[in-house]
Amino acid sequence: MKKNILDLTFNELKELMLEFGFEKFRMTQLCDWIFKKHVFDFSKMTSFSKNMQVILSDKFNFFVPQIEEVVKSEKDGSYKFLFKAFDGRLIESILMIAPSRTTLCVSCMVGCPLKCSFCATGSEIGFVRKLDAGEIVGQFLAVEKYALEHKLIERISNIVFMGMGEPFLNLDAVKRAVGNFLDENLFGLSRSKITVSTAGVGPGIAAFINKFEVNLAVSLHFPNDKLRSEYMPVNKAFPLTKLVDELQKIELGKRDCITIEYIMLAGINDTMEHAKQLVKLLSTVKVKFNLIPYNPTTLIDAQPSSAKVINDFALFLKSKSFTVTVRRSHGVDIEGGCGQFALKKSK
Ligand code: SAH
């Protein structure tokens, strides 16, 4: 059976190329075509003979997700990409451009099985299927090609797994994709430029982070089990004590810490009492906080916290020596909240 070439690791691909009888240097040329020149069609790889091109296209599929639509946010300059996968399913990524870096937020599933009540992906799309590694790295290649052609950026420097889906429920593909993102023969990103975000599906989080040494973000959002289980059913299976135990097993480098994502919902999880619970809960782990104003949906009866409340919450955490950032909501005007764009399109 033909394999999607983007699903393979460098070593797997190298072995196959040798098996087909190609010289060693052909592998370097092939990687240049794909990862440097963004050519996703064997017949356009002009340094290869016709015969070689035919062999490659006989042996491999080349599935890069097809761009269906690109929307630019007028508010923050981010770009939302909607792709069609090989089976017609919709996948989304967001490109965020800052002066010092360009970050691509990738999806690892079509939909999500977790059903966090405030999130459009799980609550409205539900779970459709996992993406394979080739479809995950394919989002990077398709966006980088588009962004270069349109002179938006020179390269994508950072990856966050914060699009649709739960990485730790698609671990094989995510491991393969992260391995390829890190491989200097392929994407060559450094480990500090990759962040995997989880709603807290364990065990397995610590083993993964200790192996790949990439950054971890945890969508904690609530400071106690009662509240968290109400909004995030995953908490019933993997409650906060277990989650904190798992986080304690992560071996952090000197300058690393775990990012705690916290959506701010007015009157629900944003009081000083909640801030104190949070500090107590995380006293044994090295964390920094990213406070995220809730991106309003019709899914739950809630409003984003006011700027003053978010500021006071942040000041309290800072007074306890934590680093705190407040996220500008990326792409809110283009349905850039998790899953919202794909949802609108599929309706
Ligand atoms: N399943 C992983 C990866 C998805 S990341 C995880 O939960 O971390 C998507 C992020 O967007 C998560 O932090 C999620 O909680 C957050 N999110 C979902 N809906 C949101 C909304 N309406 N407003 C703000 N953040 C939201």
Side-chain angles (χ1 to χ4, degrees):
M1 212 182 76
K2 282 198 198 185
K3 291 187 161 98
N4 178 7
I5 194 163
L6 296 179
D7 258 336
L8 302 174
T9 64
F10 179 77
N11 282 335
E12 288 167 350
L13 187 56
K14 192 171 77 182
E15 266 176 39
L16 287 171
M17 291 285 281
L18 292 175
E19 246 174 58
F20 303 153
F22 300 137
E23 305 96 315
K24 244 184 175 171
F25 71 94
R26 296 296 188 187
M27 186 61 189
T28 316
Q29 289 183 327
L30 182 62
C31 290
D32 274 359
W33 281 117
I34 302 174
F35 300 100
K36 296 214 173 92
K37 298 186 185 129
H38 302 87
V39 171
F40 310 138
D41 177 345
F42 297 117
S43 70
K44 296 196 173 127
M45 299 184 175
T46 49
S47 58
F48 297 156
S49 66
K50 277 273 163 312
N51 184 38
M52 237 189 112
Q53 292 172 0
V54 171
I55 296 178
L56 287 171
S57 45
D58 272 356
K59 303 287 183 185
F60 297 122
N61 280 319
F62 213 140
F63 287 131
V64 178
Q66 292 302 308
I67 297 178
E68 274 282 290
E69 197 173 336
V70 184
V71 184
K72 182 180 180 188
S73 162
E74 292 311 323
K75 278 193 192 141
D76 61 19
S78 66
Y79 290 80
K80 183 102 187 179
F81 291 81
L82 191 73
F83 302 102
K84 212 171 227 171
F86 59 86
D87 59 354
R89 295 293 184 180
L90 297 178
I91 311 175
E92 61 181 51
S93 313
I94 308 178
L95 181 67
M96 296 164 280
I97 303 176
S100 58
R101 61 174 184 271
T102 53
T103 305
L104 185 69
C105 171
V106 293
S107 296
C108 67
M109 292 177 171
V110 181
C112 180
L114 286 182
K115 300 202 181 313
C116 301
S117 60
F118 47 83
C119 177
T121 304
S123 292
E124 296 215 352
I125 301 177
F127 174 61
V128 180
R129 70 170 174 88
K130 297 174 182 180
L131 299 186
D132 54 35
E135 292 176 298
I136 298 173
V137 301
Q139 294 168 58
F140 182 110
L141 288 173
V143 171
E144 199 171 67
K145 182 183 173 101
Y146 176 96
L148 286 171
E149 282 171 359
H150 291 78
K151 301 199 171 15
L152 307 178
I153 53 165
E154 279 169 24
R155 59 188 289 264
I156 297 170
S157 60
N158 294 53
I159 295 277
V160 294
F161 282 75
M162 290 188 187
M164 286 199 277
E166 168 53 45
F168 288 92
L169 292 177
N170 188 14
L171 201 48
D172 287 344
V174 169
K175 275 182 182 164
R176 201 166 251 274
V178 168
N180 282 0
F181 281 137
L182 292 172
D183 191 328
E184 58 188 25
N185 300 299
L186 306 175
F187 292 88
L189 296 176
S190 70
R191 54 166 208 89
S192 61
K193 304 285 167 80
I194 299 178
T195 302
V196 175
S197 180
T198 179
V201 180
I205 299 173
F208 173 87
I209 298 295
N210 290 341
K211 175 169 174 170
F212 291 98
E213 301 185 330
V214 294
N215 301 308
L216 178 70
V218 179
S219 299
L220 196 88
H221 301 331
F222 302 92
N224 60 61
D225 281 322
K226 188 168 177 294
L227 260 185
R228 197 165 192 265
S229 296
E230 194 180 316
Y231 290 89
M232 299 176 69
V234 63
N235 193 67
K236 293 175 196 152
F238 206 68
L240 287 168
T241 41
K242 279 197 179 167
L243 182 55
V244 171
D245 275 356
E246 185 71 20
L247 299 184
Q248 282 173 348
K249 290 186 206 143
I250 295 175
E251 294 145 14
L252 290 168
K254 261 205 190 98
R255 275 173 295 151
D256 296 337
C257 49
I258 297 163
T259 302
I260 299 296
E261 308 274 342
Y262 199 89
I263 49 172
M264 300 288 293
L265 298 156
I268 295 176
N269 65 351
D270 66 349
T271 67
M272 274 306 126
E273 185 52 34
H274 294 127
K276 284 179 194 158
Q277 289 175 10
L278 206 49
V279 168
K280 191 160 175 235
L281 177 74
L282 296 164
S283 60
T284 54
V285 214
K286 207 171 135 206
V287 298
K288 63 181 176 194
F289 289 94
N290 187 17
L291 304 181
I292 308 164
Y294 167 60
N295 184 13
T297 66
T298 51
L299 299 167
I300 54 169
D301 185 16
Q303 293 303 316
S305 308
S306 69
K308 180 178 184 316
V309 167
I310 296 178
N311 195 39
D312 289 349
F313 203 91
L315 281 178
F316 177 80
L317 295 174
K318 282 181 186 167
S319 76
K320 301 291 174 189
S321 306
F322 291 101
T323 300
V324 186
T325 50
V326 178
R327 187 196 288 172
R328 292 183 305 149
S329 264
H330 267 292
V332 171
D333 58 321
I334 49 167
E335 274 83 38
C338 183
Q340 291 177 15
F341 188 48
L343 176 67
K344 197 173 156 200
K345 285 289 150 187
S346 55
K347 269 187 177 166

